[in-house]
């Protein structure tokens, strides 16, 4: 207990209710940018408790008088406005409408460990424009590579969507939770820029913090010069080095990516550019994105990124098989 008190004295962010320092960053960020409605949405949510599980990003906000919506594919507790919903890029806008979320909701937290990028892209392509968004990203993929978990709701309407992915074929057997998750910071950066956002902060090894560009107007210097926020700022040279070198997560034991999973990855930049030509089908865009992603992953496998350790010596065969 004494050791914990010493830690909290020197590192106050450890006293927050989130999984890591997200609550600390949000505290100081909203002090600078202000609030409009003190409304939040958080998904996925791995507990039936308001401030339980691995740590909710919205727990501290609720304690400060905020109110909002909680969504998850496996948990429900209407007393805290937590609803069981299967979330995908195909239904996220409908869910926001169903539960009466404000179009300019102050804060949205995303942690699905799968198609988060595609859900964000769908949400921001609608009338909804949250002021601040945190999204869990895959820290095993180096900046600026734009590689992402596939969107089965977009690519295959028969795939089962949830915050827990169910293998490559949609069978009712939870996949072993490894590093085959989410999207890279580079992929989130493209979606952010496309929709008038920027990545302002990063909480390693978990979340990116996106802020709407118009919200940053007039407070940018205050944010960038904040002593409390500086260790987490996206443009902090130390964080940029971490992004390029990667931070290994969920790679121990048998959690490294398999060649079958690697073949499913998509280069979001290539997929997007192919779609924007206006002449390619979805199938063609997905094939182009997968081929580009696998070639990059071959390079990762030859490096020292543990997530791709299983692919060393095998991926060249996988690339030729495409």
């Amino acid at each position: 207990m004494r050791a914990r008190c010493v830690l909290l004295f020197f590192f106050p962010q450890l006293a927050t209710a989130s999984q890591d320092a997200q609550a600390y960053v949000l505290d100081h960020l909203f002090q600078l940018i202000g609030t409009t409605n003190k409304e939040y949405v958080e998904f996925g949510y791995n507990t039936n408790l308001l401030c339980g599980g691995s740590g909710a990003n919205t727990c501290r906000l609720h304690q400060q008088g905020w109110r909002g919506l909680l969504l998850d594919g496996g948990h429900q507790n209407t007393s805290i406005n937590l609803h069981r919903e299967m979330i995908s890029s195909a239904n996220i806008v409908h869910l926001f409408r169903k539960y009466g979320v404000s179009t300019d909701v102050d804060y949205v937290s995303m942690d699905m460990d799968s198609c988060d990028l595609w859900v964000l892209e769908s949400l921001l392509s609608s009338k909804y424009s949250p002021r601040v968004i945190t999204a869990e990203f895959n820290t095993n993929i180096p900046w600026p590579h734009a590689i992402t978990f596939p969107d089965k709701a977009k690519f295959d309407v028969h795939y089962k969507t949830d915050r827990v992915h169910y293998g490559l074929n949609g069978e009712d057997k939870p996949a072993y939770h490894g590093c085959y998750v989410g999207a890279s910071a580079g992929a989130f950066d493209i979606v952010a820029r496309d929709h008038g956002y920027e990545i302002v902060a990063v909480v390693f090894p978990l979340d990116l913090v996106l802020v709407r560009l118009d919200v940053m107007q007039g407070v940018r210097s205050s944010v960038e010069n904040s002593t409390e926020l500086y260790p987490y700022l996206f443009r902090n040279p130390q964080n940029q080095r971490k992004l390029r070198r990667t931070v290994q997560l969920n790679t121990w034991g048998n959690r490294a990516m398999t060649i079958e999973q690697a073949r499913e990855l998509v280069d979001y930049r290539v997929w997007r550019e192919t779609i924007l030509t206006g002449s390619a089908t979805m199938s063609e865009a997905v094939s182009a994105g997968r081929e580009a992603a696998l070639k990059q992953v071959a390079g990762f496998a030859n490096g020292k990124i543990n997530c791709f350790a299983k692919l060393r010596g095998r991926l060249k065969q996988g690339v030729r098989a495409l």
Side-chain angles (χ1 to χ4, degrees):
M1 179 64 72
R2 181 177 179 181
R4 175 171 172 79
C5 290
V6 172
L7 281 172
L8 294 181
F9 177 80
F10 288 105
F11 302 100
Q13 64 267 35
L14 297 180
T16 61
S18 58
Q19 193 170 358
D20 202 284
Q22 294 95 324
Y24 177 82
V25 171
L26 292 172
D27 260 353
H28 291 283
L29 181 61
F30 278 111
Q31 286 176 22
L32 295 173
I33 69 173
T35 59
T36 59
N37 48 40
K38 291 192 174 182
E39 181 182 345
Y40 60 73
V41 178
E42 180 165 7
F43 60 90
Y45 198 84
N46 64 352
T47 177
N48 287 325
L49 304 175
L50 184 61
C51 294
S54 58
N57 288 347
T58 55
C59 171
R60 187 173 178 87
L61 297 178
H62 184 87
Q63 293 169 346
Q64 295 172 343
W66 289 49
R67 292 296 180 266
L69 171 68
L70 307 172
L71 298 172
D72 188 72
H75 297 88
Q76 180 164 305
N77 182 353
T78 56
S79 69
I80 61 172
N81 207 23
L82 168 61
H83 300 271
R84 183 180 292 113
E85 296 282 3
M86 307 294 276
I87 304 163
S88 74
S89 64
N91 71 358
I92 186 61
V93 176
H94 165 74
L95 291 174
F96 271 47
R97 290 172 180 162
K98 175 180 177 179
Y99 292 105
V101 177
S102 299
T103 55
D104 61 343
V105 54
D106 267 328
Y107 173 56
V108 170
S109 172
M110 305 175 58
D111 179 5
M112 298 172 61
D113 296 330
S114 56
C115 57
D116 304 57
L117 181 82
W118 305 97
V119 171
L120 178 63
E121 195 276 334
S122 290
L123 181 65
L124 298 185
S125 296
S126 71
K127 65 179 182 178
Y128 292 97
S129 54
R131 297 176 73 240
V132 176
I133 301 165
T134 57
E136 186 162 293
F137 72 111
N138 193 330
T139 59
N140 297 286
I141 301 171
W143 175 271
H145 295 273
I147 295 177
T148 180
F149 190 94
D151 182 15
K152 293 297 186 176
K154 189 185 295 291
F155 305 160
D156 179 359
V157 295
H158 300 297
Y159 187 80
K160 185 172 184 177
T161 57
D162 194 0
R163 74 176 304 277
V164 177
H165 41 283
Y166 287 79
L168 295 178
N169 300 315
E171 68 272 17
D172 288 328
K173 182 180 179 181
Y176 192 44
H177 183 48
C179 61
Y180 175 59
V181 293
S184 66
F188 275 109
D189 185 59
I190 295 173
V191 172
R193 291 173 182 271
D194 279 349
H195 296 280
Y197 287 77
E198 68 174 286
I199 302 175
V200 170
V202 54
V203 178
F204 286 107
L206 298 169
D207 288 0
L208 299 170
V209 183
L210 286 63
V211 182
R212 226 170 54 203
L213 289 176
D214 65 295
V215 174
M216 287 294 291
Q217 291 180 359
V219 299
R220 181 175 300 279
S221 61
S222 297
V223 171
E224 294 179 349
N225 293 314
S226 167
T227 302
E228 293 81 8
L229 290 177
Y230 182 75
Y232 306 98
L233 291 182
F234 187 71
R235 296 182 180 180
N236 181 326
Q238 183 176 356
N239 291 334
Q240 285 292 306
R241 286 193 293 272
K242 283 185 178 180
L243 287 165
R244 293 182 185 279
R245 295 174 181 173
T246 74
V247 175
Q248 298 179 23
L249 183 68
N250 290 339
T251 60
W252 60 90
N254 195 38
R255 297 190 176 208
M257 193 175 298
T258 67
I259 195 166
E260 291 78 17
Q261 292 170 337
R263 289 191 180 116
E264 290 287 305
L265 294 173
V266 175
D267 183 314
Y268 182 80
R269 181 179 288 107
V270 170
W271 175 86
R272 173 182 174 277
E273 291 173 353
T274 306
I275 285 292
L276 289 177
T277 64
S279 59
T281 65
M282 177 63 73
S283 178
E284 291 170 337
V286 172
S287 294
R290 283 179 173 157
E291 183 174 3
L294 198 54
K295 288 178 180 178
Q296 294 167 70
V297 169
F300 304 158
N302 291 329
K304 297 181 180 180
I305 304 177
N306 289 346
C307 178
F308 308 100
K310 287 183 179 179
L311 310 179
R312 293 166 191 161
R314 297 189 60 202
L315 199 56
K316 288 184 179 179
Q317 180 179 6
V319 172
R320 286 200 300 269
L322 273 177

